[in-house]
Amino acid sequence: MSRPVRHLIGVALIAAVLAGCGTTSDHALNMAMRALLTPTPTPKPTPQVKCTHPPANLTASLRPPAAMPAPGHMPSRTFMSTIQHRHYLRAGVNASTLRFGSLYPATGNIDGFEIDLVRQLAHAIFGDWNPDRVHLVALTVGQREEAVTSGLVDVVVDVTTITCVRKQQVDFSTVYYQANQRLLVPSNSPATDITSLSHQRVCATANTPPIDVMKKNYPQVIPYGAPQAIDCLVLMQEGKIPAISTDDAILLGFHLQDPNTKIIGGSLAPAPYGMEISQKYPEFVSFVNGVLAKLRADGTWQALFNKWLAGLPDANPVLPPPQYVR
Amino acid sequence: MQIPDQELSVAGVGIATAPATPTRRRRARAGVVLGWVRDRLATTPGRLILISALVVVGAVCFGVIATGAEQSRERAVRAARTETEPLLVHALTLYKALQEANATVATGLLGAGGLESRYSQAQYTKDIQRATSALTALTQGAVTPAAQAALGTIAADLPTYTGYVEDARANSRQSFPIGAAYLRQATVVNTSMVHAAGRVYAAEAERLNNDYQTGTDTAALVALVAAIAAALVLLALAQLYVTRVSHRILNVLMLVATVLLVVVSVWALVGVSSEQDSLAGAQRNGSDSLEALSAANVLLSRAQGDLSLTLVNRGTDKTGPLDFGAATGVLTTSPIAAALRSRFVAYRAAADRIQQLESQGELVIAIRQLPGVATLSNRLSDQLGREITAADGRFKHSASDAASALSGLGLAIPLFTVLVAVLALLGLRQRINEYR
């Protein structure tokens, strides 16, 4: 019996030793899977605000000071002097609206009508044209009001229509450009105005005034909200929507990017553009209004309009007179 | 081999013969085999015949069990080597190429003057080519329905994706902001493809994992050990009995059979054990590293893509910065980041600086700094790529060790089994013949 017993013991020992050292595990697999399937976080949606106190005159703003401070000499204990001591002005702007504010990859700079207005504002504060006096912050529609209230920027000049809802969160300057909500369709479209688009989808940026205007005043069309206005142009080029309705200031930029489109019909709603400023700094609101009044009076506004928007039939060369609350 | 009862009693080896009563014979009609066995048990040569039968049955059992154990291991090793691991590498290539294509385009469109560099264009083309060839290989090899469905999604989405990218390029070349919108559309499609590639990867990784489990399953080893032990015990007991009845210590043929059995058993044990060891090593040092490194590489290109997209969207993108945070967060805590230490820290610092500049609205400065960060990311990616190739090499090396550990066994086990059985039978036959 001794031989088989010895065999058995030997074999059992070998088996036990070898079986123990060659084990596998799925630890790495699980780790890699976890890493690869890291979910993309979803941004928090911006809460919807309702207009509770409609102002008597939406576009009225604070009157400019009796005497404007000289550039480079901002009165102490004002927000202007804070900016002056910081040595630069922070402005929230648009980086994708041709002619108003858009990034030019060739130069790497954001440029446009609104950017020049910001430079004029900086000149009025600092008294020089040093380009480093302006820090531009590109903002989305949903970020604008928070950027002002949180102090990320001093002023927002970002194709912003003055609305009751926005006015509850921030102060607006006087109107610096009078846009109008209109329609953009492919150049071969038979549509002539909004009445010819019954039961068709009309695209605009979600949660913006153009959608509200269509819902309220033009129930025959089906408003379609896209994440951004430019996404509407993508959808139209893909043939997924027959028309876009938003400010003509934005639509004229779309037409420049796609000449096979046309702006049709009259104004569906006025879209007066104002600069957003924090409600904490009324002195800065009056100061900005003073600067705007000066630009209007000395012909600078017209010069800037000619520089950026002349020759565009859909640009509005008429700036209504400023409205003041007191 | 019928041996008359009378002859057996003449032999007189001191074992009592049971009388064959009529009742027993009647009962045996129901179970002929049982009766035959009882008859054989009654005499020594009968018992020797029974032992011969047992040895044959035992040898066949040993052969079947040992071959089965060996074959299941061999199949698993072959599948891992030639099928599932290469497919896993293809799945990872697909995932990575799709992710990198988008990161490359997004970074490239921010290039100086709005013009994509030739390097970036070539890189994008290479990424798409790598993705399509991996897709082809996977479509031929993937077997699970989940993987097939995911591959169908990718095949359908890929032309849409490249179409959007060309729209984005054409518009960006003219400084049109709609270029960024097309890139955003491309990214939506890319994300869906990357998620599908993740499902393919999961299916393939699970198949490889199953091969590892089968290839290192201790049940096969236990079965082998049990079969060996049973066969050896049987052979030893047979020899013990033969020695007792024949008063001869050695039966040369049976001894040779035993030696052969021991030889093939040791060979099989060593082979299967070292195969198990090598295959476990292939996973530990090869495919485990491959999976971890690839996951890190994928996260890196995802972070780089997010960074570029945030800038391409000119401050209009909220998901990009959040996803960048998620990707780099996981990357930072992975052991790979520790291994890449200084380079990863440098990348992270530069990328964070761009994120910060972007969140402060310093888009123009951020865009100017992006090429530097892209270079850091490319270097990291190249380093990871080299380590991935090395890990794949280690897998292939260990897996081929595992395969060669088993080579020859598939033929040797049945051959030796037959030899053992024949030799043992011949040995027993000598003794049985002594009773004639």
Side-chain angles (χ1 to χ4, degrees):
Chain A
M1 273 305 267
S2 63
R3 204 189 320 166
V5 169
R6 240 184 286 135
H7 281 166
L8 263 179
I9 292 172
V11 162
L13 272 177
I14 291 169
V17 169
L18 292 178
C21 70
T23 51
T24 54
S25 82
D26 49 11
H27 176 68
L29 165 74
N30 293 337
M31 232 178 57
M33 282 314 299
R34 264 202 308 280
L36 293 181
L37 301 179
T38 306
T40 298
T42 39
K44 266 182 267 166
T46 31
Q48 289 285 310
V49 189
K50 281 223 158 67
C51 179
T52 46
H53 306 288
N57 185 350
L58 193 68
T59 55
S61 182
L62 299 177
R63 198 170 284 282
M68 282 291 281
H73 300 282
M74 294 297 113
S76 58
R77 265 173 287 171
T78 62
F79 189 55
M80 291 83 83
S81 98
T82 310
I83 297 169
Q84 195 192 339
H85 285 103
R86 197 203 293 135
H87 303 301
Y88 60 89
L89 172 74
R90 292 178 305 194
V93 296
N94 201 298
S96 44
T97 303
L98 282 179
R99 303 298 167 99
F100 279 79
S102 119
L103 183 90
Y104 287 84
T107 57
N109 291 325
I110 302 174
D111 261 316
F113 177 73
E114 289 181 329
I115 312 304
D116 277 353
L117 286 179
V118 171
R119 295 210 177 98
Q120 293 290 336
L121 199 54
H123 177 72
I125 297 169
F126 301 104
D128 60 44
W129 294 104
N130 183 347
D132 292 342
R133 295 295 192 196
V134 175
H135 279 212
L136 298 175
V137 180
L139 297 174
T140 61
V141 171
Q143 290 171 326
R144 295 188 292 216
E145 287 75 33
E146 207 206 316
V148 171
T149 51
S150 71
L152 176 71
V153 296
D154 307 323
V155 61
V156 164
V157 191
D158 183 0
V159 288
T160 313
T161 304
I162 303 170
T163 65
C164 166
V165 168
R166 290 174 182 153
K167 217 168 173 166
Q168 287 173 171
Q169 298 161 270
V170 295
D171 270 351
F172 275 97
S173 71
T174 53
V175 177
Y176 66 86
Y177 183 86
Q178 179 65 49
N180 284 288
Q181 181 180 341
R182 293 178 68 193
L183 279 169
L184 184 83
V185 292
S187 46
N188 60 359
S189 166
T192 49
D193 60 14
I194 196 151
T195 54
S196 41
L197 288 164
S198 287
H199 308 296
Q200 299 198 50
R201 292 201 295 182
V202 179
C203 186
T205 317
N207 306 319
T208 55
I211 294 272
D212 299 335
V213 166
M214 282 191 279
K215 273 188 194 158
K216 209 172 129 200
N217 301 341
Y218 305 97
Q220 68 269 37
V221 300
I222 307 159
Y224 179 82
Q228 293 179 40
I230 192 84
D231 294 327
C232 288
L233 186 57
V234 170
L235 290 170
M236 198 158 91
Q237 287 185 348
E238 291 188 315
K240 288 178 182 160
I241 52 131
I244 303 170
S245 180
T246 187
D247 307 344
D248 50 11
I250 295 167
L251 293 180
L252 66 87
F254 288 3
H255 176 70
L256 288 170
Q257 296 177 63
D258 185 352
N260 292 311
T261 59
K262 58 185 179 188
I263 298 176
I264 56 160
S267 169
L268 302 178
Y273 288 170
M275 301 183 182
E276 289 186 330
I277 294 161
S278 168
Q279 292 173 340
K280 281 184 284 186
Y281 312 119
E283 77 278 13
F284 188 47
V285 178
S286 330
F287 175 82
V288 168
N289 287 342
V291 174
L292 285 175
K294 185 183 156 287
L295 295 179
R296 190 194 280 261
D298 68 7
T300 311
W301 187 92
Q302 193 57 50
L304 292 180
F305 181 90
N306 292 343
K307 179 182 171 189
W308 291 105
L309 301 163
L312 299 173
D314 300 299
N316 185 0
V318 182
L319 184 63
Q323 310 272 312
Y324 298 117
V325 274
R326 54 173 188 265
Chain B
M1 233 184 264
Q2 289 284 332
I3 298 160
D5 283 355
Q6 297 93 312
E7 269 187 66
L8 287 176
S9 54
V10 178
V13 283
I15 294 163
T17 9
T21 62
T23 22
R24 275 196 178 173
R25 287 221 182 272
R26 266 200 301 281
R27 221 188 288 161
R29 222 174 279 160
V32 183
V33 180
L34 210 65
W36 185 85
V37 167
R38 276 207 197 92
D39 291 347
R40 299 312 121 191
L41 267 175
T43 64
T44 303
R47 286 184 203 126
L48 285 171
I49 286 163
L50 275 178
I51 286 170
S52 305
L54 267 180
V55 164
V56 171
V57 170
V60 168
C61 284
F62 167 79
V64 167
I65 291 170
T67 307
E70 191 273 340
Q71 286 293 308
S72 94
R73 289 292 184 91
E74 200 178 310
R75 268 197 305 275
V77 171
R78 197 186 313 124
R81 257 184 92 194
T82 61
E83 200 181 328
T84 47
E85 197 266 355
L87 281 180
L88 181 75
V89 172
H90 283 311
L92 283 168
T93 306
L94 179 66
Y95 196 122
K96 199 169 145 271
L98 289 174
Q99 187 115 70
E100 273 181 7
N102 212 44
T104 305
V105 164
T107 309
L109 290 186
L110 288 166
L115 282 176
E116 260 186 298
S117 68
R118 280 171 71 184
Y119 170 79
S120 161
Q121 287 180 332
Q123 195 63 34
Y124 168 77
T125 310
K126 218 171 87 188
D127 286 334
I128 294 299
Q129 283 166 351
R130 269 166 52 217
T132 43
S133 67
L135 188 62
T136 313
L138 283 162
T139 310
Q140 285 162 358
V143 290
T144 57
Q148 294 279 14
L151 289 169
T153 307
I154 297 171
D157 280 352
L158 198 55
T160 315
Y161 171 72
T162 51
Y164 277 137
V165 167
E166 295 315 321
D167 282 339
R169 281 175 157 172
N171 281 290
S172 297
R173 247 186 129 78
Q174 305 190 60
S175 301
F176 288 164
I178 195 177
Y182 270 112
L183 192 61
R184 221 162 30 238
Q185 296 289 322
T187 305
V188 171
V189 181
N190 185 269
T191 309
S192 124
M193 288 197 297
V194 164
H195 285 168
R199 291 198 292 278
V200 177
Y201 169 79
E204 292 309 322
E206 206 183 322
R207 275 178 73 199
L208 177 62
N209 223 36
N210 287 343
D211 285 338
Y212 281 139
Q213 268 162 17
T214 317
T216 60
D217 188 12
T218 31
L221 202 58
V222 169
L224 187 63
V225 169
I228 290 168
L232 280 174
V233 167
L234 191 66
L235 213 52
L237 288 176
Q239 284 175 81
L240 213 63
Y241 180 69
V242 169
T243 310
R244 244 173 60 194
V245 297
S246 69
H247 306 294
R248 285 183 215 180
I249 293 168
L250 279 180
N251 180 320
V252 179
L253 288 173
M254 289 190 85
L255 196 66
V256 171
T258 313
V259 169
L260 284 181
L261 186 61
V262 169
V263 166
V264 76
S265 298
V266 169
W267 183 359
L269 277 176
V270 169
V272 167
S273 304
S274 76
E275 169 271 334
Q276 181 172 335
D277 223 27
S278 296
L279 195 62
Q283 187 194 27
R284 210 170 36 243
N285 309 319
S287 67
D288 274 4
S289 313
L290 184 101
E291 285 172 24
L293 286 162
S294 301
N297 209 353
V298 161
L299 284 173
L300 180 72
S301 65
R302 177 164 155 187
Q304 182 60 22
D306 287 337
L307 202 60
S308 305
L309 272 171
T310 309
L311 299 184
V312 166
N313 285 321
R314 293 159 200 191
T316 56
D317 179 27
K318 289 197 227 170
T319 317
L322 285 174
D323 195 58
F324 173 83
T328 46
V330 176
L331 201 51
T332 309
T333 54
S334 85
I336 303 296
L340 296 171
R341 228 170 325 250
S342 60
R343 273 193 176 166
F344 180 70
V345 169
Y347 170 76
R348 186 76 210 263
D352 282 348
R353 206 155 47 237
I354 286 194
Q355 277 277 294
Q356 210 187 342
L357 283 169
E358 198 279 331
S359 72
Q360 290 167 351
E362 304 285 7
L363 195 61
V364 175
I365 305 174
I367 288 174
R368 281 194 201 120
Q369 292 198 359
L370 189 71
V373 179
T375 309
L376 285 175
S377 154
N378 287 343
R379 270 195 214 136
L380 264 178
S381 180
D382 288 347
Q383 188 183 347
L384 282 168
R386 280 194 298 277
E387 288 183 28
I388 286 168
T389 311
D392 194 35
R394 286 198 298 275
F395 169 85
K396 290 201 160 68
H397 185 81
S398 294
S400 96
D401 279 356
S404 57
L406 294 179
S407 72
L409 260 181
L411 194 68
I413 292 173
L415 198 73
F416 273 66
T417 306
V418 170
L419 269 175
V420 167
V422 168
L423 286 171
L425 275 181
L426 288 176
L428 285 165
R429 176 81 192 189
Q430 286 176 350
R431 296 291 161 270
I432 292 165
N433 286 346
E434 283 168 5
Y435 292 94
R436 288 193 190 273

